Amino acid sequence: MGPEGKIAVVTGAGSGIGRASAEALAKAGARILASDIDYESARQTVSAIETAGGKAFALQADVSEPDDVKRMIDAAVSRFGGLDILHNNAGILSGPRFPDSDPSCWRRAISVNIMGVLSGIHYGTEAMRQRGCGVIINTASISGLEPHFTDPVYAATKAAVVNLTRSLTFLKEEANIRVNCVCPGFVRTDLEAHSSAVLDAEAQRRFKSRRAGFKDLPALEPDDIAQAVMKLIHEDGLNGKACIVNPGEPWQIQ
Ligand SMILES: NC(=O)c1ccc[n+]([C@@H]2O[C@H](COP(=O)([O-])OP(=O)(O)OC[C@H]3O[C@@H](n4cnc5c(N)ncnc54)[C@H](O)[C@@H]3O)[C@@H](O)[C@H]2O)c1
């Protein structure tokens, strides 16, 4: 499916990968609902899209709240007339390291990273069934495919997203809806800053030291992930796949 003339919702669109994805989709001719828990950041994404000649509007929604996700999908349908593309991208780190961390930290990460994707797919497929087709991209992580000793709970949530994606291939047959995910390695974004409410000083030190380990690798930028998202949208044969994007390596589709 080419994005031209299509209607797309992107969560976590105010920053990093979500902003790059929203901008790439708009550039390819899609109309965008840019959603974020932080309305002002989503509005800035919309402003950049409009300056470049695209069409978009901003909406505040916390993906951990199913009612917010329903409101977001309903807004795309009422504003633009339907939903063709959904990028479930919003996500956070879990914070202090499991198993010592507080249950509130795991609950928040699970609510945003797993519940957010489940709700997006639940309400998104409802809207896509009305159109007779659709494409869903979930942002997982390389941490969903290999251990992440700095944040095991984050790794568990991303593994859930990968296997959820792989378990939904039946939607293609049933409703002409394809579901794929991207699994980025380390990308230069503000993920740690946006997760800082849950990152105590010790967690910040651990993440900083992990980041230092990447300093000699070529950096991944949000646009690199947006390009992988575009490929997963374009290629009709891709369904239930994880696209691994690592610095300095060709994409692997598994
Ligand atoms: N940066 C990386 O190295 C990396 C690697 C692999 C996967 N990821 C994943 O990419 C996705 C995007 O992260 P990013 O790196 O662009 O970080 P980012 O912090 O720059 O962007 C995430 C956006 O999500 C928003 N957000 C956070 N909680 C939300 C919620 N409950 N509801 C709605 N919006 C919410 C934030 O406000 C922010 O705008 C996340 O799912 C993250 O886990 C990031």
Side-chain angles (χ1 to χ4, degrees):
M1 175 195 280
E4 192 171 359
K6 298 290 191 289
I7 298 156
V9 169
V10 180
T11 70
S15 173
I17 295 168
R19 177 172 289 187
S21 166
E23 290 186 359
L25 281 161
K27 197 170 166 197
R31 286 164 287 168
I32 313 295
L33 188 162
S35 164
D36 204 286
I37 195 169
D38 173 3
Y39 176 74
E40 184 50 32
S41 69
R43 216 196 48 72
Q44 284 170 15
T45 299
V46 166
S47 169
I49 289 173
E50 288 176 340
T51 303
K55 282 202 173 60
F57 78 101
L59 184 115
Q60 193 280 340
D62 177 347
V63 297
S64 72
E65 297 288 343
D67 287 350
D68 273 26
V69 176
K70 180 178 186 328
R71 184 170 51 80
M72 173 183 84
I73 301 295
D74 287 350
V77 173
S78 61
R79 179 82 172 235
F80 291 138
L83 176 67
D84 304 301
I85 298 165
L86 171 63
H87 184 181
N88 288 311
N89 166 74
I92 56 167
L93 300 164
S94 90
R97 184 150 61 178
F98 185 83
D100 304 328
S101 52
D102 189 85
S104 61
C105 299
W106 337 321
R107 182 175 289 132
R108 183 70 190 152
I110 289 167
S111 297
V112 176
N113 298 1
I114 304 180
M115 281 291 291
V117 173
L118 290 170
S119 299
I121 295 172
H122 175 72
Y123 294 111
T125 52
E126 252 178 42
M128 287 172 179
R129 282 177 199 273
Q130 306 294 320
R131 310 272 281 179
C133 64
V135 183
I136 297 174
I137 309 296
N138 302 317
T139 301
S141 169
I142 194 69
S143 309
L145 296 165
E146 54 189 49
H148 183 336
F149 300 113
T150 310
D151 194 339
V153 171
Y154 178 78
T157 64
K158 294 300 185 179
V161 173
V162 172
N163 212 25
L164 174 68
T165 302
R166 289 177 170 162
S167 303
L168 288 171
T169 48
F170 62 88
L171 282 172
K172 166 88 171 116
E173 185 102 332
E174 195 189 286
N176 203 17
I177 296 170
R178 294 185 293 114
V179 186
N180 293 293
C181 66
V182 273
C183 293
F186 180 70
V187 190
R188 283 191 210 280
T189 69
D190 290 332
L191 182 62
E192 287 166 35
H194 288 134
S195 306
S196 61
V198 292
L199 294 190
D200 63 2
E202 202 281 322
Q204 285 181 33
R205 187 197 55 72
R206 270 188 291 114
F207 281 102
K208 192 170 168 199
S209 125
R210 179 172 187 267
R211 209 170 42 239
F214 294 111
K215 73 177 185 333
D216 295 329
L217 293 174
L220 275 176
E221 300 295 338
D223 280 343
D224 298 321
I225 314 308
Q227 290 320 306
V229 168
M230 296 297 278
K231 179 182 172 67
L232 293 171
I233 291 170
H234 266 285
E235 291 207 8
D236 290 331
L238 295 176
N239 185 30
K241 300 294 183 197
C243 179
I244 301 169
V245 186
N246 263 325
E249 292 175 14
W251 299 339
Q252 283 179 61
I253 297 187
Q254 298 182 347

